[in-house]
Amino acid sequence: MIHLNTIYKQHGSQILFSDASLQILPQTRTGLVGPNGAGKTSIFRLITGEEEPDKGTISCAKKTVIGYFSQDVGEMSGRSVLEEVMSAAGEVVALGRQMGEMEAQMSEPMDDDALADLLERYGVITEMFEHRGGYDLDARAKAVLSGLGFAEEDFSQPVETYSGGWKMRIALAKILTINPDVLLLDEPTNHLDIESILWLEEWLSSDYKGALLMTCHDRAFMNRIVSRIIEIANGQATTYSGDYDFYICEREVRREQLIASFRRQQEMLAKEEDFIAKFAARVSHAAQVQSRIKKLEKIQRIKLPPEQKVMKFHFPDPPRSGEDVLHLKALSKEWLTPAGERKPVFSGLSCTVRRLEKIALVGINGAGKSTLLKVISGRTGATSGEVVMGAGVTTGYFSQHAMDILNPKHTVFEAVQEALPLENIGVIRNLCAAFLFQGDDVDKRIANLSGGEKSRVVLAKLLARPLNFLVLDEPTNHLDILSRGVLLEALQQFKGTVLLVSHDRHFLGSLVNRVFEIDHGEMRIYEGDYDYYQEQTG
């Protein structure tokens, strides 16, 4: 369907691809993985024609419709939510209009040749219209919007009234609605809650019949959807036949085999070079020396790929808190709308958090999870009720909106130094380096960082203090799968208490031992891990 053959692509001094080849075949489900900056987004841009290769060819079957969802959604204004989604299907709407015009022409008298020609063209357009799902376009757009968390009354709301996260959902709905032959998704689960992620899984597995190529930091989502992985690294594209877990295992096997081959080759080269050095001056061995020199010149040297950089940290052992870390007593919260009306978020929440518990806070989008974490961490006050902290509790708060915590004018170094005012430059630089800020990177302004970089700065600030109660609102947002794994391991070993919101099911399933669910303003408590919660709630 789509073939990239011996692609060479260079950005500035960086060579992204050198003789790289990959294929997207009909109905395949492929995950695109690789370290940041390896060229995953460039693959999407090459396929869509936004970029061209410096060398090599890209071939695509005729009439192939490509849909590309990226993190850059562009401007949205002047339409309702439904109109914005339908605008992506302009070609399908135009086909329907042509069909209507042709049907009107057929009712008029014409000679047999003209009618035969009209019927032939009508058949071609009708087939295209049906292939693109034109007959159920409106129903499909509404179904996609509902699946992504929009209520029916939202369909007529102006798009400009929605936040960036909800505009991401609208942009995703546009791509899904056109039902393309090839679907390119760049981090589709960002900004989605678990319910929407589950709906998208079902849609991609059951409803979508085309080919899929996607990047995603949600390990569980990748494992459920893809059956093929393409790794972009060191200028090459390497294909693995299996899901993400298979790829991780197989990549390690291949790396060990490559290291073994590299060592054997190095031993062989060392012996040959020793022979050449030893007998180079002897006339009696001249022929043998020349033969071995030519042999070495022809050998293709094995190169070991560099290790992918990941965060390296673990939370220090915190001071011990009391056995009861937190009591919520009939806690309620209301927000005041711009019109002066009181909007209830939750009411009457009561619970106890005990030392060393790892608790997931779950609930549908808008249930009040982030608001509750802000109340607990003291970022906003409760309308009524009490938040009672236990003896010796020191709280650290991670916000999914990093700018709630970070000063955009600070550099990375200044942001971390703020949490370690008494430490020397070396200690602060070492902590920055653990979170992949090395050299001049520490002088970057917070305002200029990516979402993932900001998340790493916030984690570095948390690590700098002796905390025994971590309140984490979407700590995995913007982190790649490897970084999520490092954070997960650190939290598993953390000798303190954790209360967190996350939409990463693998993360929750590997960490928590209790679940608090907010549902219609009330709290339900599940005394078991995340798997137990899923069993109980279906």
Side-chain angles (χ1 to χ4, degrees):
M1 183 176 275
I2 298 178
H3 301 267
L4 282 70
N5 300 306
T6 58
I7 296 297
Y8 182 91
K9 182 68 178 178
Q10 185 169 351
H11 282 171
S13 61
Q14 182 186 12
I15 298 175
L16 288 180
F17 308 113
S18 178
D19 289 334
S21 298
L22 63 91
Q23 297 178 331
I24 301 175
L25 304 174
Q27 299 182 330
T28 51
R29 301 286 189 268
T30 306
L32 190 64
V33 303
N36 291 334
K40 300 188 294 296
T41 298
S42 292
I43 290 291
F44 289 143
R45 292 178 174 274
L46 288 168
I47 291 172
T48 59
E50 294 178 40
E51 292 184 15
E52 293 185 355
D54 299 327
K55 297 177 185 176
T57 60
I58 300 173
S59 58
C60 180
K62 288 184 179 179
K63 298 182 180 179
T64 299
V65 178
I66 298 172
Y68 175 34
F69 169 75
S70 73
Q71 294 297 302
D72 182 13
V73 299
E75 289 296 320
M76 290 185 188
S77 63
R79 295 188 180 109
S80 70
V81 170
L82 183 59
E83 288 170 345
E84 182 68 31
V85 172
M86 293 288 284
S87 70
E91 293 181 10
V92 182
V93 173
L95 288 173
R97 192 181 303 116
Q98 288 182 52
M99 287 168 57
E101 293 170 356
M102 288 181 174
E103 288 163 0
Q105 291 176 34
M106 289 177 197
S107 64
E108 301 293 330
M110 64 181 72
D111 61 50
D112 291 346
D113 290 343
L115 179 59
D117 179 62
L118 180 60
L119 287 172
E120 184 177 350
R121 287 188 290 114
Y122 180 77
V124 171
I125 289 177
T126 302
E127 185 179 355
M128 292 172 60
F129 185 75
E130 186 173 0
H131 174 68
R132 298 291 303 280
Y135 289 111
D136 62 348
L137 182 62
D138 183 74
R140 188 167 65 253
K142 291 177 179 177
V144 169
L145 281 170
S146 298
L148 294 178
F150 291 88
E152 191 170 344
E153 55 266 26
D154 296 329
F155 297 170
S156 58
Q157 296 299 311
V159 290
E160 53 265 33
T161 62
Y162 286 86
S163 66
W166 283 95
K167 284 181 178 177
M168 285 281 190
R169 296 189 188 213
I170 294 170
L172 179 57
K174 292 170 69 171
I175 301 302
L176 301 184
T177 296
I178 64 174
N179 203 25
D181 300 310
V182 177
L183 190 55
L184 308 177
L185 299 180
D186 187 6
E187 296 297 339
T189 60
N190 276 6
H191 307 286
L192 297 186
D193 54 24
I194 288 179
E195 289 73 24
S196 298
I197 291 173
L198 289 171
W199 176 87
L200 182 58
E201 270 183 13
E202 178 64 24
W203 189 89
L204 290 172
S205 299
S206 303
D207 294 357
Y208 180 62
K209 306 305 181 187
L212 170 68
L213 179 68
M214 72 170 182
T215 63
C216 186
H217 293 158
D218 187 324
R219 185 168 183 157
F221 188 83
M222 286 275 273
N223 279 329
R224 284 172 168 79
I225 297 298
V226 307
S227 56
R228 188 167 168 259
I229 296 287
I230 295 177
E231 180 188 50
I232 305 298
N234 307 307
Q236 297 297 313
T238 307
T239 301
Y240 296 79
S241 298
D243 61 13
Y244 185 82
D245 284 348
F246 172 84
Y247 152 72
I248 291 294
C249 295
E250 180 66 14
R251 183 186 63 176
E252 189 59 31
V253 169
R254 293 188 190 185
R255 182 174 179 80
E256 289 175 0
Q257 291 173 342
L258 184 64
I259 290 172
S261 298
F262 174 80
R263 287 173 178 165
R264 287 195 298 270
Q265 187 180 72
Q266 290 300 304
E267 290 173 2
M268 181 271 293
L269 293 174
K271 289 180 181 178
E272 295 295 329
E273 288 167 355
D274 285 347
F275 181 91
I276 293 169
K278 185 175 181 179
F279 297 107
R282 297 189 184 182
V283 176
S284 60
H285 288 75
Q288 289 174 283
V289 168
Q290 288 302 313
S291 174
R292 296 195 182 202
I293 289 174
K294 290 178 181 179
K295 175 185 174 182
L296 292 185
E297 289 174 349
K298 293 178 181 179
I299 290 176
Q300 186 172 357
R301 307 295 174 103
I302 297 172
K303 294 180 180 180
L304 291 180
E307 290 281 355
Q308 185 171 338
K309 293 182 179 180
V310 295
M311 297 187 300
K312 295 179 180 178
F313 79 102
H314 68 276
F315 290 102
D317 291 348
R320 184 186 174 105
S321 70
E323 288 302 316
D324 288 345
V325 172
L326 170 71
H327 295 287
L328 300 185
K329 298 182 178 180
L331 198 69
S332 298
K333 179 64 180 178
E334 296 176 345
W335 289 118
L336 201 62
T337 67
E341 299 175 350
R342 292 190 173 277
K343 181 183 177 183
V345 183
F346 49 74
S347 62
L349 301 189
S350 297
C351 68
T352 297
V353 174
R354 296 180 289 272
R355 190 175 76 87
L356 299 182
E357 289 183 329
K358 308 288 196 296
I359 300 171
L361 182 63
V362 302
I364 63 171
N365 199 63
K369 303 184 295 296
S370 294
T371 300
L372 178 56
L373 295 191
K374 285 181 179 179
V375 171
I376 290 171
S377 62
R379 301 280 162 167
T380 187
T383 305
S384 63
E386 287 185 272
V387 177
V388 181
M389 287 293 177
V393 174
T394 53
T395 305
Y397 173 61
F398 180 102
S399 172
Q400 62 175 304
H401 305 292
M403 300 317 291
D404 291 348
I405 296 172
L406 301 174
N407 183 336
K409 296 180 181 178
H410 279 173
T411 64
V412 171
F413 183 88
E414 290 168 342
V416 177
Q417 187 181 42
E418 188 177 42
L420 292 167
L422 302 179
E423 291 292 353
N424 60 48
I425 291 175
V427 170
I428 295 170
R429 278 190 167 272
N430 285 339
L431 182 55
C432 290
F435 288 85
L436 306 183
F437 295 105
Q438 297 172 314
D440 294 340
D441 289 343
V442 299
D443 298 321
K444 288 182 177 179
R445 296 282 172 191
I446 297 296
N448 298 327
L449 299 183
S450 67
E453 289 171 326
K454 289 173 185 172
S455 293
R456 299 204 307 268
V457 174
V458 176
L459 287 172
K461 288 171 70 74
L462 284 180
L463 183 63
R465 299 167 51 208
L467 306 168
N468 53 32
F469 182 33
L470 299 179
V471 178
L472 310 176
D473 188 6
E474 291 289 355
T476 56
N477 262 13
H478 305 295
L479 295 182
D480 59 32
I481 292 180
L482 290 179
S483 297
R484 290 185 184 199
V486 173
L487 176 59
L488 173 59
E489 185 176 351
L491 289 173
Q492 287 170 331
Q493 297 174 0
F494 175 57
K495 293 181 174 135
T497 309
V498 179
L499 176 63
L500 83 157
V501 172
S502 176
H503 296 146
D504 188 322
R505 289 158 294 164
H506 172 76
F507 198 88
L508 294 178
S510 302
L511 179 66
V512 306
N513 50 31
R514 262 182 118 196
V515 178
F516 292 174
E517 181 183 47
I518 300 180
D519 185 23
H520 294 89
E522 299 179 352
M523 181 176 284
R524 295 191 183 96
I525 297 175
Y526 295 84
E527 302 293 349
D529 61 14
Y530 191 70
D531 289 339
Y532 172 79
Y533 162 72
Q534 289 184 306
E535 290 170 6
Q536 294 298 308
T537 60

